[in-house]
Amino acid sequence: MKTMVAKKVSLYGFLTAAALLFGYVEYLVPLNFIAPGIKLGISNGIVLFLIIKSKYKAAIIINIARILLSGFLFATPFSLIFSLTAGVISTVAMILLNQFKGFGVVGISVLGGTVHNIVQICVAYFTVGGGVVFYLPFLLFAGILAGMAVGFLVWIMLNKTNKIFDEI
Amino acid sequence: MNRKLVTWLDILLIVLFVILSITIILVFSSSGEGNKAVISVDEKIIGEYSLNTDLTREIKTDYGFNTVVILNGECFVLDADCRDGICISRGKISKVGESIVCLPHKLIVEIK
Ligand SMILES: [Zn+2]
């Protein structure tokens, strides 16, 4: 029993650290030359990985932990609100889509990416103003492309990793 | 793990999002190509011209002259003797609500 708990805690810690690391790599190598604020969201891949394995509690906890920690490490309180809102809502959206058998990893990932960006635009709309709506189509496209890339990466992850993560 | 990489439903979802983006672009970017250029001086309309017919008109007033050109559905000021030349550098307009203003000559060209 004790070893089970220890195993769980270490898995949570490992995945949170991995998500943080991916996020940090993206912070260091920004894709801003495509459009401001564009991110691939590899760290969201960890969350997607857990969702497809139906580990919803772990997905939500690790995502919130990742966003809070990276917020304290390299973000402003303002951008923390942005990423926390978008992160939680897109996670819930992916969990909902995972209830349907007909969707593949890419579909769930694309929904996560687009919902994430739509929520960010909505938050921006209420804080900055209406002008940001023009930006929505580009962020939608970005969400689709990033979602496809992350979905593909997660699909590889799902097929390469062994059963160790099933115990989370 | 039996979830597939991509399914037809995924593709449908992606297509829906692409359509949504294109719709937003269409709704916001072109609130409709205009069909006429309305030229006014001192807030009095001195002429309305269809954007479908190419034409060049020199508008001479006490303030000076502006050469307004309509070409291929777009309207622009080709030449003017105003001091700032802002009306010339404004470039081409064609969408509803767009306008060229020449403040020194009190001239406004608006697309309607
Ligand atoms: Zn002028």
Side-chain angles (χ1 to χ4, degrees):
Chain A
M1 192 59 211
K2 221 175 180 181
T3 50
M4 278 263 300
V5 173
K7 214 169 194 176
K8 259 195 167 174
V9 168
S10 63
L11 277 174
Y12 269 82
F14 171 75
L15 288 175
T16 308
L20 262 179
L21 185 71
F22 288 143
Y24 186 59
V25 170
E26 286 193 299
Y27 171 79
L28 289 178
V29 191
L31 297 172
N32 278 2
F33 58 91
I34 302 171
I38 297 283
K39 267 191 188 172
L40 196 52
I42 309 171
S43 45
N44 286 321
I46 304 272
V47 176
L48 177 63
F49 175 81
L50 290 166
I51 287 173
I52 299 218
K53 283 188 165 294
S54 297
K55 310 288 180 191
Y56 302 139
K57 203 180 87 187
I60 291 172
I61 290 173
I62 287 171
N63 199 22
I64 291 177
R66 170 190 74 83
I67 293 167
L68 287 179
L69 284 170
S70 62
F72 296 141
L73 289 176
F74 32 77
T76 60
F78 189 60
S79 63
L80 185 63
I81 298 169
F82 270 68
S83 28
L84 202 58
T85 319
V88 170
I89 294 179
S90 69
T91 304
V92 171
M94 288 192 289
I95 290 174
L96 287 176
L97 203 64
N98 195 46
Q99 310 303 313
F100 300 97
K101 288 234 180 317
F103 290 98
V105 179
V106 165
I108 297 170
S109 181
V110 164
L111 185 82
T114 44
V115 166
H116 184 271
N117 288 356
I118 290 171
V119 172
Q120 283 209 319
I121 283 286
C122 290
V123 176
Y125 181 84
F126 288 114
T127 49
V128 186
V132 291
V133 178
F134 291 94
Y135 201 51
L136 184 56
F138 302 101
L139 277 181
L140 266 176
F141 273 122
I144 293 169
L145 292 177
M148 294 198 305
V150 169
F152 183 65
L153 290 176
V154 168
W155 189 73
I156 295 173
M157 247 168 79
L158 286 161
N159 287 293
K160 295 284 176 197
T161 48
N162 57 29
K163 294 204 180 303
I164 183 166
F165 292 109
D166 292 349
E167 292 181 41
I168 195 159
Chain B
M1 226 324 284
N2 43 20
R3 205 171 270 281
K4 290 197 178 88
L5 174 63
V6 189
T7 67
W8 286 110
L9 269 179
D10 294 359
I11 294 166
L12 186 74
L13 187 78
I14 292 168
V15 168
L16 281 177
F17 275 124
V18 171
I19 292 172
L20 179 66
S21 324
I22 293 170
T23 313
I24 297 168
I25 291 174
L26 289 179
V27 167
F28 282 99
S29 67
S30 67
S31 51
E33 293 288 307
N35 44 32
K36 62 179 179 177
V38 179
I39 304 174
S40 53
V41 177
D42 269 337
E43 291 172 19
K44 280 187 216 69
I45 292 173
I46 59 159
E48 295 188 9
Y49 305 96
S50 165
L51 288 179
N52 300 319
T53 333
D54 292 352
L55 93 124
T56 303
R57 225 201 110 176
E58 195 161 297
I59 289 143
K60 276 192 186 136
T61 60
D62 296 340
Y63 306 113
F65 81 90
N66 297 73
T67 311
V68 179
V69 176
I70 292 173
L71 187 66
N72 300 328
E74 294 176 314
C75 183
F76 58 95
V77 173
L78 178 71
D79 194 16
D81 62 349
C82 58
R83 54 186 147 75
D84 56 14
I86 288 173
C87 51
I88 302 169
S89 53
R90 172 72 171 86
K92 294 169 176 172
I93 57 171
S94 63
K95 294 191 177 89
V96 172
E98 284 186 316
S99 61
I100 301 172
V101 180
C102 182
L103 271 183
H105 294 175
K106 313 227 165 158
L107 174 127
I108 298 172
V109 184
E110 202 187 346
I111 304 295
K112 286 196 171 155

